[in-house]
Structures are given as structure tokens and as C-alpha cells.
Amino acid sequence: MAKKRIRPAKAFRGVLTLPGDKSISHRSAILAALAAGKSEIFNYSPAADCESTLRCLRGLGVKIEEKGSGIIVEGKGLAGWTKPRKALDAGNSGTTMRLLAGALAGQEFASELTGDNSLRRRPMRRVMEPLRQMGAKIEAREDEFAPLEIEGGALRAIEYAPKVASAQVKSAVLLAGLFAEGETVVREPIHTRDHTELALHEMGAAISRQDGAVRLQGRPKLIARQMVVPGDISAATFFLAATLIVPDSDLIIQGVGLNPTRTAVLDFLASMGAPVSVVALGTHDGELAGDINVRYAPIKGGKISGAMTARLIDELPMLAALGPYTEEGIEIRDAKELRVKESDRIAAMAENLRKMGAEVEEFPDGLRVGARGAGRLHGATIDPHEDHRIAMAFAIAALGAEGETIIRDPQCVAISFPNFFDLLESLLKLEPEDKKQ
Ligand code: S3P
């Protein structure tokens, strides 16, 4: 699939079920591998990133079988992983690398974690620092970048206050904390996604949160269990946005994860006047899930900054690309972290939005994308910079643009959402002239 062509859409209607949540899938597999006994994980994400986690776990001697849309993990207990024969390859996945760094810090053997060109350029000192404080020895290129060489061993519990709001850093410290005697405490600057905490609790660990401090009692016996992964709300965001770009659209997304640390996107869309409603169906394995309905309506636009930016971190590319379809535009600030994601997402968004005729002002920590007014966006050739969320954001933005948009290297969407284009095409009713082709 060298290129993907996207044409304007007429209406976007249907009922959709999305792949399992990527963040929850990573955690469920890693924790199941550290538990004693067999865990079955239903609706495990088909994302290439989650496959990277399985590849690394297999490299550590953990048996994993794929069964339908789920997996069965034969957990080996906290001390049961074995020394890998070669470097563990986390591919494009920051979550795989940072979370596994935490779990490997507690192992009796040395290991190496590496990844693709993008991942080898992403900052790792943020996890190295606390893990070193806990007693792990970690070497990295320029003391910052993968490959990481980790010499684990006896760890001590620490109290740690990460400087960046990062669920990955918090999770790395908690996973290392499983191997330390006593209480490991993480005080986060902003309440980031708490899937690690919820899964640990479900598997029998003593973990609590009070006044922004997460406390974990070390050396628990994790219990294997059955888990159901809800649909991925970050993947849902692309379809929610499509509904707000294409008039007459009406969409129901079923079985989506509604963990309150992940639903800021619904609050933000509602604050702009989007008719979004949610039916919460209940909690599975500590995670709230339900159905979302959204209908087309003109939306106002708005500003995202501070804690809201951190809570929307994966949704920002799509929200930026919604800017030209709002009445007042969208401004994103305090988003320096976006520059060290799978690509420099601020630069990639600014470059491609400008190609489509949008008005963009770029800042070191974000961007402002102008409102509609200066006419519709027009089709362009988009370079996603091998970043899945950039490719998907522009495929959606293209639905409201004039003419054809070409997405280069569209296969990069497989990093989080392999069937994205199939689902998109199944929902589209193309404009009449396109039907002839
Ligand atoms: C994730 C946390 C976020 C997010 C990433 C997934 C996770 O990263 O951007 O896609 O699963 O913990 P940071 O914690 O580094 O912000």
C-alpha cells in the first residue's frame, strides 16, 4: 500500500466497534507475564505496538498463544523470566520500552532494549533516572537514547515525583516497585492514565491513590486472571472527529473504554458544542466501558492548555486537524511533549495542515490552527513522517476538503490501528462523482 487516496465524504453513519485499547493491552500482557498462572486476555489490541510487547515478552521466555481476537499468557511469576538471547526489540513502541525497562530493572539478569529509528531517538532518561535511584544499572547512548542496557537486581522502594506528566514513567516506576521491598510512591504532577494501577489492583497487588500519590506495596503475588480489553478511545477520536467534519453524520461507537483519565476528548468536544452522549455500560476488570454517540453539528473551537493538554496527549493531532472545521480555530499549548512522540507532531501537523491550505501558527509548545472562513481545505499529498496518528488525522481531515488527498506510507497506521482504512471505507458514503469510479 504505497499511497492512500481520500476523497470528500457526504455522510458518515453507522455503528462501529474498535480494536482493543492499546495502553490497556500492553499492561495486561506485561502483568499477566509477571503473574503466576495462565491469563486469558480478550480483545487484545491488534496494534503493531502491542505485538512488539508480545515479541519482547516471548524473548523473556514467556509463552503466549494467540486465540481469536485474544491471547493466552502463561505467567511465570515475578522471578520467572529468563535472560533473553538477544536484544529485545520494542519496534516503534515507547510504551513497550519504558514499561519493560521498569520490569527488567527488577530481574536478576542483564538485558538490552532497542527499537526502530524513531524509538531510538526518543528520550529515555526520564525512566532511567528513577530506575537508577531504585538500584538498577542502566546504560544508554548519550545517556538518553536506546539501546538501553539494563542490569537489574535487588531494588529499593523510592518516592518519586516525575518532572514530566507521563503515564509511562509512572508505570515504569510501579513495575520496578513490584520487585522492591516496602512501599514505592509516585507523586505525579497531573493525574495521567491509571491503567497500570487498575490492573495491578485487579491482580491482587496492594495499591492506592490519595492526594496525587500512588502507593504500591512491593513483592505482591500477582494472580493470573481473565481480562477483557475495552475499545480504544484514542482510536475512537478519529471517527468522532469525522462525524463533526462531515454534515449529516451520525455515529455510534460501541464498547469503548471510558476510564475518566482518558475521556478528556469527550469533554473537549462537548465544550465546543458537539452533540456527544455516552451510555456507560459498566466496569470490566476495573475499567469503565460503554457506548458513545456523536452527531454532526457546527463546533466552536477552543484552547487546550495545562493539565488538559496532558490528558489529551494522543488526541492532539486529530484535534489540531479539526481546527479548520471550527468557527474560531483550535489552539494547543503546553504541548512540548508532542515534539518527542513517534514524530515531532507539532512540526508534522503544521507542515501538512499548511499544505491543505490551513492557517497555522507554530509555537515551541504547540500550534494555533485557524478557523474555517478562508474557504475549505483543499486536498494535498500528506507526509505522515511514519507516524500513525498523523496519517489518520489527515485521512479524516481530508473527508471535508475539496478534491483528493493522498496519504503517503499509509501502512504506518498499523502501529495502533491496522484496520483503520477498512473501517473508514465501510462507513463512508462518498460524494456522487466519486461513486462512478
Ligand atoms: C501511554 C502514555 C502516553 C501516550 C502513549 C501511551 C501509555 O505517553 O502518549 O501513546 O500507554 O502509558 P506518555 O506517558 O509518555 O505521555
Side-chain angles (χ1 to χ4, degrees):
M1 203 184 355
K3 282 176 189 163
K4 197 87 200 170
R5 293 168 191 280
I6 311 279
R7 297 191 180 87
K10 200 166 168 212
F12 199 88
R13 294 203 182 142
V15 180
L16 203 61
T17 307
L18 297 176
D21 186 88
K22 183 158 86 80
S23 291
I24 298 175
S25 295
H26 286 297
R27 284 144 173 95
S28 65
I30 295 171
L31 291 175
L34 291 171
K38 253 187 202 179
S39 290
E40 183 158 7
I41 303 166
F42 297 95
N43 202 33
Y44 188 79
S45 166
D49 271 3
C50 296
E51 189 57 42
S52 291
T53 288
L54 300 187
R55 181 172 59 242
C56 292
L57 291 173
R58 286 181 174 124
L60 290 156
V62 180
K63 268 206 199 130
I64 301 169
E65 189 191 316
E66 319 221 337
K67 186 181 168 197
S69 62
I71 56 170
I72 298 175
V73 181
E74 284 185 35
K76 303 189 79 181
L78 288 183
W81 290 2
T82 50
K83 183 174 167 55
R85 272 180 289 143
K86 52 180 189 178
L88 300 167
D89 181 3
N92 191 246
S93 175
T95 311
T96 305
M97 182 167 286
R98 297 196 179 110
L99 268 57
L100 281 182
L104 290 170
Q107 303 295 329
E108 295 292 328
F109 50 79
S111 52
E112 184 179 333
L113 272 170
T114 190
D116 70 7
N117 289 336
S118 150
L119 187 54
R120 280 188 276 112
R121 284 195 299 263
R122 295 180 63 188
M124 292 297 148
R125 200 178 306 149
R126 53 182 66 193
V127 290
M128 291 159 57
E129 236 171 55
L131 297 176
R132 282 172 173 165
Q133 281 183 29
M134 295 177 85
K137 289 201 189 94
I138 310 187
E139 299 290 325
R141 186 169 51 84
E142 296 171 37
D143 209 33
E144 178 68 278
F145 304 109
L148 304 182
E149 281 171 38
I150 304 175
E151 224 179 282
L155 299 183
R156 50 185 168 270
I158 57 165
E159 249 193 78
Y160 193 69
K163 289 178 214 76
V164 273
S166 165
Q168 295 181 354
V169 173
K170 170 177 64 177
S171 300
V173 176
L174 292 175
L175 286 167
L178 291 172
F179 298 87
E181 201 166 342
E183 190 178 73
T184 293
V185 183
V186 184
R187 290 180 194 280
E188 1 178 41
I190 287 163
H191 190 172
T192 62
R193 65 191 71 192
D194 60 4
H195 308 302
T196 306
E197 295 93 301
L198 294 178
L200 279 168
H201 175 77
E202 290 294 304
M203 296 176 93
I207 185 159
S208 64
R209 177 186 190 98
Q210 211 181 5
D211 303 326
V214 181
R215 297 173 186 279
L216 169 72
Q217 206 55 47
R219 312 230 173 118
K221 188 165 181 308
L222 297 178
I223 305 155
R225 47 174 299 142
Q226 291 199 333
M227 296 174 249
V228 183
V229 180
D232 194 318
I233 191 165
S234 299
T237 298
F238 297 103
F239 293 98
L240 298 174
T243 311
L244 296 165
I245 288 175
V246 183
D248 290 333
S249 295
D250 190 340
L251 190 67
I252 294 172
I253 310 180
Q254 291 179 317
V256 186
L258 294 171
N259 178 318
T261 61
R262 296 285 298 284
T263 50
V265 61
L266 303 180
D267 302 335
F268 181 66
L269 294 177
S271 78
M272 297 196 292
V276 183
S277 57
V278 165
V279 186
L281 294 183
T283 303
H284 289 286
D285 312 304
E287 294 283 354
L288 192 65
D291 298 347
I292 303 173
N293 173 229
V294 65
R295 278 173 292 115
Y296 172 80
I299 48 174
K300 270 205 311 264
K303 182 170 175 180
I304 300 167
S305 61
M308 199 63 178
T309 299
R311 296 184 61 215
L312 285 168
I313 195 73
D314 290 338
E315 286 68 68
L316 294 175
M318 186 66 258
L319 294 174
L322 254 189
Y325 296 101
T326 62
E327 283 157 10
E328 291 160 15
I330 288 187
E331 182 171 340
I332 296 169
R333 301 306 292 258
D334 305 317
K336 268 200 334 253
E337 275 295 299
L338 278 188
R339 295 208 182 266
V340 291
K341 290 291 178 189
E342 288 84 327
S343 69
D344 175 344
R345 287 184 170 161
I346 295 175
M349 291 308 298
E351 169 198 317
N352 287 305
L353 277 165
R354 282 185 184 126
K355 276 192 207 159
M356 294 183 79
E359 239 179 65
V360 182
E361 193 179 344
E362 189 178 334
F363 309 109
D365 69 338
L367 71 175
R368 201 187 61 75
V369 185
R372 66 172 139 229
R376 275 170 84 180
L377 291 186
H378 52 76
T381 297
I382 301 300
D383 178 0
H385 294 267
E386 296 177 46
D387 184 334
H388 55 126
R389 296 200 199 278
I390 303 293
M392 293 188 280
F394 282 93
I396 298 296
L399 299 175
E402 237 168 310
E404 183 179 83
T405 295
I406 292 173
I407 311 283
R408 280 172 43 194
D409 304 325
Q411 67 283 353
C412 68
V413 303
I415 285 298
S416 65
F417 199 165
N419 64 338
F420 169 77
F421 286 110
D422 297 336
L423 274 179
L424 183 61
E425 278 153 24
S426 75
L427 283 169
L428 284 176
K429 287 189 183 152
L430 298 176
E431 281 185 351
E433 68 264 27
D434 296 313
K435 279 190 179 153
K436 284 182 233 139
Q437 301 195 5

